[in-house]
Amino acid sequence: MNEVKKEELVPVRKSLHQAIQLVSAVPRNILPKDPTDGMSSLEWNAQLESLESLPVTNDHGEIRVGLKFETFALYITVDHDSKVALELSGRSVDQGLTWLKAELAKYDISSESINLDLPYEIENYDYSKILQVNNEALTVFGQLYQMTAEVLADITRKWEDAFDIRCWPHHFDLATLIPLETDQENEITKSIGIGLSPGDDGINEPYVYVNIWPQVEVATLQQHKLAQGDWNTEGWSGAVLPYSQMSETDHLGKAFEQFTSAVIDILRQETK
C-alpha cells in the first residue's frame, strides 16, 4: 500500500464523502422511498474502482451515477455504457450538482427532482467550497475499498443470509450485515456487521470494523487478546483494525481476513 500518512487522508476523505452525496441524490429523489434510506445506498464497481448508485430506469435504460476514485470524477452510465464524466478536482459540490442536473435532463430526469436534502446529519460541509484531493490519497482509498469489496464478497458467499454489500452515504462505510438470530416475525435479534469506515470523529483514519448487536460488555471482550486490531470501547461492541496498522503489511487482504475471522469467532462465542 502507498505510504500516505493518515493525517493526509482526512481532507480527501471529507471531499469523497461530500462527492458521494451527489451519487446517492439521484436514486434518493427518484426511486420509491425506503425508511432505511436503502435506495440511496451505493455499490462498489470493482472494474472501475468506483461507487455507483442503484439504477433509475426509464425509456433510456438503466441510468446510474458513479464516482471514480482514481480520477475523482463524477460520471453517468446508461445500461452500463459510460456517457459523460466530470472531474471534481478544483470544483465544488454545488458545481457538480449543476453539471449533474444538466446532464441527467438529457435522459428525461427532471433537474427539479434532484437535490442534496439529506435525511441525516453529516459534518458541517460547505458545498460551495472547492474540494481538496491528492492522487496518492485517492489511490489509498481506492485500494482500501477494492480490498474490502473483495473480502466482503468472500464472507457473504460463506454466509447464506448475509446482506448485499453496500456503501452507506451517511457514514461512507462499505459493509455487510450477517443475521445470526431472528424472532417469530423474522425480525433480526442478533447480528454481526463487517465493513470499512474511511474514518470519522471517533477514529480519524480508515479502519476495518466488526461489531455485534446486541452489545457485549467491553470487559468481556477484552479478556480475549487480538493478534491485530483493538477492541472498541465506546458506542458499540466489536473491534477495529486501523489504517495505521494495516499499512504496515504487504498482504492487506490477508490481514483483513484474519482480523475479521478472529473477531467473528470471539463475538459468536461470547453471545451463545
Side-chain angles (χ1 to χ4, degrees):
M1 172 169 290
N2 290 7
E3 294 184 5
V4 179
K5 294 180 180 179
K6 61 182 183 181
E7 295 81 8
E8 297 173 359
L9 296 175
V10 175
V12 179
R13 181 250 293 175
K14 291 183 176 181
S15 291
L16 286 166
H17 193 189
Q18 292 179 75
I20 66 166
Q21 306 309 317
L22 291 167
V23 180
S24 64
V26 177
R28 176 179 289 123
N29 287 283
I30 302 295
L31 296 180
K33 299 298 181 184
D34 177 346
T36 69
D37 197 39
M39 68 284 184
S40 73
S41 64
L42 310 176
E43 299 177 318
W44 181 253
N45 183 320
Q47 183 178 359
L48 296 178
E49 294 194 4
S50 64
L51 284 169
E52 287 188 341
S53 70
L54 299 180
V56 171
T57 303
N58 62 17
D59 291 341
H60 293 277
E62 286 191 353
I63 300 168
R64 297 174 187 258
V65 178
L67 180 72
K68 186 172 174 60
F69 279 35
E70 181 182 12
T71 56
F72 195 48
L74 192 66
Y75 66 84
I76 297 171
T77 66
V78 179
D79 291 334
H80 301 289
D81 181 21
S82 182
K83 295 299 183 182
V84 66
L86 175 74
E87 290 192 12
L88 291 174
S89 179
R91 294 183 169 90
S92 67
V93 171
D94 284 341
Q95 289 173 319
L97 181 61
T98 298
W99 175 87
L100 185 62
K101 287 181 174 183
E103 293 299 327
L104 289 172
K106 299 174 183 178
Y107 300 98
D108 297 325
I109 295 179
S110 171
S111 62
E112 295 181 0
S113 63
I114 308 300
N115 61 66
L116 289 175
D117 296 337
L118 306 178
Y120 45 75
E121 293 184 4
I122 56 177
E123 296 184 57
N124 188 25
Y125 292 140
D126 184 345
Y127 289 152
S128 67
K129 288 188 175 181
I130 300 301
L131 297 166
Q132 301 179 49
V133 295
N134 68 69
N135 292 337
E136 291 79 11
L138 287 172
T139 297
V140 168
F141 280 112
Q143 291 173 335
L144 288 172
Y145 277 74
Q146 182 83 329
M147 170 206 68
T148 300
E150 292 172 357
V151 175
L152 292 183
D154 287 339
I155 291 173
T156 57
R157 280 191 287 267
K158 295 173 184 176
W159 293 82
E160 182 178 335
D161 297 328
F163 284 26
D164 290 339
I165 302 163
R166 290 284 189 269
C167 177
W168 298 90
H170 184 185
H171 298 294
F172 191 17
D173 59 324
L174 185 66
T176 185
L177 185 76
I178 300 172
L180 297 179
E181 293 180 4
T182 57
D183 60 20
Q184 293 180 342
E185 285 75 38
N186 207 34
E187 294 290 330
I188 298 172
T189 56
K190 184 188 298 184
S191 63
I192 287 178
I194 308 166
L196 171 80
S197 167
D200 50 43
D201 289 340
I203 303 175
N204 205 20
E205 61 177 312
Y207 60 91
V208 175
Y209 65 83
V210 183
N211 60 34
I212 191 160
W213 181 84
Q215 295 190 27
V216 178
E217 290 290 338
V218 174
T220 299
L221 297 178
Q222 288 178 331
Q223 294 175 11
H224 301 270
K225 182 174 176 57
L226 296 173
Q228 51 187 341
D230 304 288
W231 292 112
N232 186 61
T233 58
E234 293 183 13
W236 49 271
S237 296
V240 298
L241 178 61
Y243 165 79
S244 52
Q245 292 185 35
M246 286 189 285
S247 59
E248 296 172 358
T249 179
D250 294 328
H251 304 285
L252 203 59
K254 187 174 181 180
F256 190 137
E257 290 174 357
Q258 291 174 339
F259 168 74
T260 54
S261 178
V263 175
I264 288 172
D265 287 346
I266 293 169
L267 293 178
R268 294 190 71 196
Q269 175 186 331
E270 291 296 345
T271 57
K272 285 184 178 178

